[in-house]
Amino acid sequence: MSPHLLLRRSGRRLLAAFAVGALASTLLVGPLARSAADAAMAAPARPGPTTTVTLITGDVVSVTETAKGEYATDVRRPGGARGGVHVQTIGDDLFVFPAEVMPYVAAGTLDRRLFDVTLLIENGYDDQHSDGIPLIVGYADAKGAAKPAPVGTTKLRPLTSVRGSAVKAAKQKMRHVWEALTPRAVTFDVNPKPVLADGIAKVWLDGKVRVNLADSTAHIGAPQAWSAGYDGKGVKVAVLDTGVDLNHPDLAGRVATTASFVPGETVADGHGHGTHVASTIAGTGAASGGQEKGVAPGADLIVGKVLADGGYGEDSWIIAGMEWAAAQGARVVNMSLGSNQPTDGSDPMSAAVDQLTADKGALFVVAAGNSWGEAWITPPGAADAALTVTAIDSADRLADFASRGPRFGDYSLKPDLAAPGVDILAARSGGNAADGYYTSMSGTSMATPHVAGAAAILAQRHPEWRAGQLKDALMSTAARLDGYTAYQVGSGRVDIPAGLNAAVTATGSAYFGFQEWGRVSPTPIDRTVTYTNTGDSPVSLQLDVTGHVAGGPYDSDPHADEGTPAPGMFTLSASTLVVPAHGTASVTATAHPQLGAPGRRYLGEIAATGGAGAATRTTLGMFLEEERHDLTFSVKDTNGEHLSVWLEVQRLGEQGLLGTPGTEPDPVYVPAPPGVTLAALLRQRQDDLRDAERAVTDLVDQFRSPDLRHDVIEVLTDVADVRRRFFQIQEAARHEVLSMVVPNLRVVPHRENVAEIAGMKRGVRYRALLDREALLAQDMQADVRASLAAGQEIRVVDEVPVKMMIVDGHTALLPLHSSASPTSVLVHRSGLLAVLIAFFEAEWARAFPLEPADADDTVTENQLDDLDRQVLALLLSGLTVHAVANQLCLSLRTVHRRIRQLMTKAGVESRIQLGWAAARNGWA
């Protein structure tokens, strides 16, 4: 079965603070992209000893960051505040959501960044540095920019493009501002369509941005090319991705041809990734007055949808899209995608890249990946012919998420080139004046279209060049990135002016192969390096070659001798070369593996300099395998006949399962005695057991009280005892049962808990905190609906920290520790029980409540049938499309079709918008 393809994106994962409006694909490599204003400038640093922040509701938050991503928080509520406060850490950021704002945030009318306390401090909007909060207020009325500022705010400037104004809300009047914006109390139960006052459509934080597309295009020299008359005009560039938003102002009229290779989906971009990539290549910047232009705004785009709206695709979809793009005559094909496993380039997608490049001459520009580690270049970027791109930031620093080379298996030179890929601002699918036309994303996906745009500009300059010439020119003229090796950044950062103005270009790289242990070539190995002169005069070049050790095997000793010079490892047949006008000249580069050490990677570089500013660089590489020997197994049956079997080979010596008696030069391995083999493991288990027993003893001694009728602690070690006490304490319940439910209940599955049903019939209040993963359990959705209908209160959190049940505030049952036989502790009245109750209430306050569907509702045109509601409920609970299909026993295609129908019914184009629509229409 083909592996799923994953988008190349990275950044901070923003988990849903609540379910409505928080739909997102979980198949992305790396987390969700932040909006442009989420990428904040540093001012001042993260929370200091204690910092206070006044929110738009008038709540005053005092926060101390005790450790990275951990905070001590106090919230002082203003007079007239309604409901509680939800305090959550999402990623490394602290969010404080007063209950009264949640309907507005979920509906998309209030910017959630207004409640990101960490971001507000980083932006300098804390009380120590600002006496107000800058806002952007947008109106539904086209003349909203002329309206007066809301009560308690000062108008700074009109913003006609968003039908509103920039205002500053004074913190001393903040509660008055909030009450003026929201004159009526709104909750999901009362009004699922919250509306702000005076025709206001949305209120944003007027945030600070860090990096945008205008910066990244300048970083690689695109404006100089535009000034010289080169913007990719007439060059056909294919984008194979999640589709495209054809209505975005930056792409309107820019896409000549489209095709979808995803079954059941149109070319419309329901994800957003493809639109961002396409505009980075050839967006006009129309929505920003031309500021956010792509690298090659004159190029002709064709778009093939090869990834579904969920962010995944199959090999066959990708290959079909590649063939289509090549058949359409694309000079450049952008592929900001890849599989989840590295290969040596022999996989089908990489093979297709090599074949189509040879047949059609199209240059495939492919993302290197976002897997951080070495040797993790994935297909189709593993192809020899692919121009494989990694990501750097605005300071030419390698992005921490970027995959490194060498190529898996054969240590070939990858990636090929680097380009800006951190916090890149480009077109947002479904963008509009109210919500913004642009969004910021990071990843090698974002770096790749920068290089594709550069290739289009170079293709316009040299219409006769095919893929290999474009690739060589871009690599050999790249800007050097000091401090990094070719296995990290390839030849360096793409430099459009250097490639455009170069009269002489060279072979981009030359690899001398993987030299196997015992088969290392006894003679030097040659490769031809070719120089091309497109100028009208011959050019004389001075050639210099260097070499060094780049490390050892990536799986055992990757930094061995790293940086050690290796003089003589690479040599040239000549130190000077004359390249004729409009012609080529070659030099032979030679590697000398007999001079190297086993288990070492060698990198080199040929630097060519000459008249008229000619300067090129060619990367060289070779790997000498460490000492290895073939091991042949011969398996025979009891009759001595040879058998054909599968063997599992383990390094038993490293696990202490083999011994080497004696000190012979060639040791003989024999099985180690059981006492030796298992002694360490048994000692560790005995130590663990003693530690657990000591902990229980200390706990009992600490909380035992002679005044209580029972011991404070009762330890249950038998399954039958645990089941008996589980039912007994519920049967004794008179007022309330609190429970935390985890996946894979072992002792009492949910449907066997008859005491719960009996308790609710007696009027006992049941409150349950449900682990999101528990929703994956067989038939759990039906059980949840039945429990809600019976009156149980259920809330969902991302992860339940511990399984627990508390009855009437005086008894708690919870597991002691994980073991083969379930062991539980029954806690009676004590200070420990008070801590457990407080712990439950804290988790309950931050959880998302599930509500029963109204059985009396009649289904109208704007409502859903039962299956639609089930699909939507599971998506809003955070499940992936695959998990939804498994839970409901549906095909993946059926679930995708249902989601598309829901989006159509809601009149939205993305799943995030579907979450908001669910709130507005009362579906959630």
Side-chain angles (χ1 to χ4, degrees):
M1 182 174 63
S2 301
H4 290 306
L5 297 179
L6 310 178
L7 298 180
R8 296 307 187 190
R9 285 177 49 182
S10 183
R12 182 171 53 191
R13 181 181 297 277
L14 299 181
L15 300 177
F18 34 83
V20 178
L23 293 178
S25 168
T26 59
L27 293 178
L28 300 179
V29 171
L32 302 179
R34 293 183 288 171
S35 69
D38 279 334
M41 299 177 67
R46 281 186 171 273
T50 300
T51 308
T52 59
V53 178
T54 300
L55 303 180
I56 193 173
T57 54
D59 292 86
V60 179
V61 182
S62 298
V63 58
T64 303
E65 186 172 18
T66 58
K68 184 174 177 60
E70 298 180 7
Y71 304 90
T73 307
D74 177 71
V75 182
R76 186 169 71 251
R77 304 304 313 277
R82 301 181 292 272
V85 175
H86 301 263
V87 180
Q88 296 180 320
T89 300
I90 304 175
D92 290 333
D93 282 15
L94 174 70
F95 284 79
V96 176
F97 291 103
E100 56 197 317
V101 310
M102 296 182 77
Y104 297 97
V105 177
T109 56
L110 200 60
D111 189 348
R112 63 179 282 158
R113 292 174 299 137
L114 289 163
F115 310 98
D116 184 342
V117 175
T118 304
L119 178 64
L120 292 172
I121 295 173
E122 287 178 339
N123 275 239
Y125 298 153
D126 56 285
D127 296 349
Q128 286 78 9
H129 295 86
S130 176
D131 60 358
I133 300 178
L135 306 170
I136 297 177
V137 180
Y139 293 84
D141 187 348
K143 298 181 180 179
K147 289 181 176 290
V151 173
T153 70
T154 302
K155 189 170 185 176
L156 302 179
R157 67 191 60 85
L159 299 172
T160 56
S161 63
V162 295
R163 298 180 176 182
S165 301
V167 303
K168 185 175 182 179
K171 289 183 177 179
Q172 292 182 342
K173 303 178 180 179
M174 201 62 78
R175 188 64 194 179
H176 298 297
V177 174
W178 174 251
E179 291 175 346
L181 291 173
T182 58
R184 295 188 301 274
V186 176
T187 66
F188 281 119
D189 297 331
V190 177
N191 183 1
K193 299 179 180 180
V195 178
L196 296 171
D198 300 327
I200 296 174
K202 183 165 183 177
V203 177
W204 296 270
L205 173 69
D206 194 354
K208 298 177 180 178
V209 299
R210 182 167 52 196
V211 179
N212 59 31
L213 188 57
D215 292 332
S216 61
T217 52
H219 191 188
I220 62 175
Q224 292 96 307
W226 303 336
S227 297
Y230 296 102
D231 62 359
K233 184 177 181 179
V235 177
K236 188 175 291 186
V237 179
V239 178
L240 302 181
D241 214 289
T242 60
V244 67
D245 178 1
L246 295 171
N247 297 317
H248 194 285
D250 286 16
L251 296 170
R254 302 293 300 113
V255 180
T257 307
T258 63
S260 176
F261 300 91
V262 179
E265 294 189 14
T266 69
V267 77
D269 186 4
H271 187 283
H273 189 269
T275 299
H276 193 282
V277 168
S279 73
T280 303
I281 298 172
T284 62
S288 60
Q291 182 179 1
E292 305 302 337
K293 286 196 295 187
V295 177
D300 299 326
L301 289 177
I302 65 172
V303 176
K305 182 166 183 171
V306 297
L307 299 178
D309 289 341
Y312 70 92
E314 296 181 2
D315 288 1
S316 59
W317 304 354
I318 313 301
I319 294 171
M322 291 159 56
E323 293 174 348
W324 169 81
Q328 290 290 318
R331 296 281 304 281
V332 180
V333 181
N334 189 95
M335 302 183 71
S336 293
L337 50 80
S339 74
N340 55 8
Q341 292 294 326
T343 75
D344 60 0
S346 59
D347 60 277
M349 284 190 295
S350 297
V353 167
D354 290 336
Q355 187 64 52
L356 290 169
T357 300
D359 291 345
K360 301 293 186 178
L363 176 63
F364 288 82
V365 186
V366 188
N370 301 327
S371 298
W372 296 279
E374 282 200 314
W376 211 265
I377 306 296
T378 60
D384 287 331
L387 180 52
T388 307
V389 183
T390 192
I392 55 174
D393 65 12
S394 59
D396 282 343
R397 294 173 300 212
L398 180 64
D400 56 4
F401 53 76
S403 296
R404 277 75 162 163
R407 185 165 68 181
F408 180 79
D410 68 355
Y411 285 77
S412 187
L413 293 168
K414 288 288 178 179
D416 299 308
L417 211 55
V422 178
D423 291 336
I424 303 301
L425 189 70
R428 170 187 177 186
S429 182
N432 53 58
D435 297 325
Y437 284 108
Y438 300 98
T439 188
S440 181
M441 296 183 185
S442 295
T444 54
S445 276
M446 283 63 252
T448 304
H450 283 83
V451 175
I457 289 175
L458 211 56
Q460 179 190 3
R461 172 73 172 80
H462 299 283
E464 75 284 1
W465 280 6
R466 289 169 64 88
Q469 294 162 296
L470 292 172
K471 179 179 177 180
D472 283 342
L474 289 167
M475 290 179 64
S476 64
T477 61
R480 184 192 302 276
L481 296 178
D482 293 328
Y484 297 105
T485 73
Y487 287 132
Q488 296 170 313
V489 297
S491 297
R493 172 181 34 85
V494 62
D495 187 337
I496 295 176
L500 196 63
N501 299 325
V504 175
T505 59
T507 301
S509 64
Y511 187 54
F512 294 85
F514 179 100
Q515 304 299 316
E516 293 184 51
W517 168 262
R519 297 182 179 87
V520 174
S521 174
T523 59
I525 305 168
D526 294 335
R527 296 288 184 266
T528 299
V529 175
T530 300
Y531 294 85
T532 301
N533 181 3
T534 59
D536 297 328
S537 303
V539 176
S540 297
L541 298 176
Q542 176 67 41
L543 307 179
D544 295 294
V545 65
T546 58
H548 66 276
V549 179
Y554 52 69
D555 56 352
S556 60
D557 195 5
H559 301 293
D561 296 334
E562 192 172 49
T564 303
M569 179 57 67
F570 301 105
T571 59
L572 299 175
S573 60
S575 59
T576 61
L577 190 69
V578 177
V579 188
H582 302 290
T584 62
S586 299
V587 66
T588 299
T590 302
H592 302 272
Q594 68 275 16
L595 300 179
R600 295 295 180 268
R601 305 180 224 172
Y602 290 92
L603 288 176
E605 181 182 277
I606 304 172
T609 56
T616 67
R617 293 183 298 113
T618 300
T619 303
L620 310 176
M622 179 177 62
F623 178 68
L624 303 182
E625 187 181 26
E626 68 273 33
E627 181 176 356
R628 302 210 176 192
H629 298 275
D630 293 336
L631 179 63
T632 303
F633 292 91
S634 179
V635 181
K636 299 180 181 181
D637 63 16
T638 54
N639 297 321
E641 299 294 330
H642 287 280
L643 298 176
S644 296
V645 296
W646 290 101
L647 295 178
E648 179 181 347
V649 181
Q650 298 180 350
R651 296 182 177 181
L652 302 182
E654 295 180 1
Q655 301 178 29
L657 300 179
L658 293 179
T660 55
T663 57
E664 300 87 350
D666 298 317
V668 177
Y669 289 89
V670 298
V676 174
T677 302
L678 302 177
L681 180 62
L682 291 174
R683 280 196 298 271
Q684 180 62 47
R685 293 294 181 265
Q686 290 168 351
D687 290 344
D688 291 344
L689 180 59
R690 279 195 295 270
D691 289 343
E693 292 171 344
R694 195 177 299 116
V696 172
T697 301
D698 292 343
L699 198 62
V700 172
D701 290 342
Q702 181 178 358
F703 290 100
R704 188 186 302 274
S705 171
D707 298 330
L708 296 178
R709 184 175 60 185
H710 299 290
D711 286 346
V712 171
I713 300 293
E714 178 182 349
V715 180
L716 309 170
T717 59
D718 183 75
V719 173
D721 287 342
V722 175
R723 285 180 61 92
R724 177 173 53 81
R725 294 298 261 158
F726 178 84
F727 288 117
Q728 281 180 346
I729 62 175
Q730 285 191 87
E731 290 166 356
R734 292 295 177 266
H735 305 292
E736 184 177 52
V737 175
L738 313 177
S739 62
M740 288 185 168
V741 182
V742 300
N744 305 318
L745 296 173
R746 299 169 59 188
V747 177
V748 183
H750 187 266
R751 289 198 166 184
E752 295 182 14
N753 188 10
V754 294
E756 177 182 295
I757 300 173
M760 284 190 287
K761 289 181 178 179
R762 295 197 308 273
V764 176
R765 181 189 185 190
Y766 272 79
R767 288 194 285 157
L769 271 173
L770 187 64
D771 189 299
R772 195 179 302 278
E773 187 179 342
L775 291 172
L776 295 170
Q778 183 69 27
D779 298 327
M780 178 58 82
Q781 287 296 312
D783 292 346
V784 168
R785 285 194 294 272
S787 297
L788 288 170
Q792 186 171 165
E793 299 170 49
I794 300 176
R795 295 188 179 186
V796 177
V797 292
D798 290 318
E799 182 179 5
V800 169
V802 63
K803 179 170 58 177
M804 179 171 65
M805 182 171 65
I806 303 173
V807 176
D808 287 343
H810 59 63
T811 308
L813 183 67
L814 66 160
L816 177 62
H817 56 76
S818 298
S819 64
S821 177
T823 303
S824 297
V825 174
L826 196 65
V827 181
H828 298 282
R829 287 189 179 91
S830 65
L832 177 60
L833 185 62
V835 170
L836 295 175
I837 295 173
F839 174 62
F840 176 90
E841 295 296 351
E843 292 293 305
W844 181 263
R846 75 180 184 88
F848 176 72
L850 299 181
E851 300 292 342
D854 190 343
D856 296 329
D857 280 351
T858 57
V859 178
T860 67
E861 182 179 353
N862 195 39
Q863 292 180 322
L864 314 178
D865 61 30
D866 287 341
L867 183 55
D868 281 339
R869 288 185 181 276
Q870 293 179 51
V871 169
L872 185 59
L874 291 172
L875 287 172
L876 291 175
S877 297
L879 271 64
T880 66
V881 175
H882 289 75
V884 172
N886 292 335
Q887 176 67 225
L888 299 178
C889 299
L890 300 173
S891 70
L892 196 58
R893 183 172 182 177
T894 297
V895 175
H896 277 300
R897 187 173 64 251
R898 286 277 177 168
I899 295 173
R900 175 56 62 186
Q901 291 171 352
L902 285 168
M903 292 170 63
T904 301
K905 183 175 292 187
V908 298
E909 297 182 354
S910 72
R911 295 187 188 177
I912 293 178
Q913 294 171 335
L914 178 59
W916 300 335
R920 289 195 303 268
N921 296 328
W923 297 344

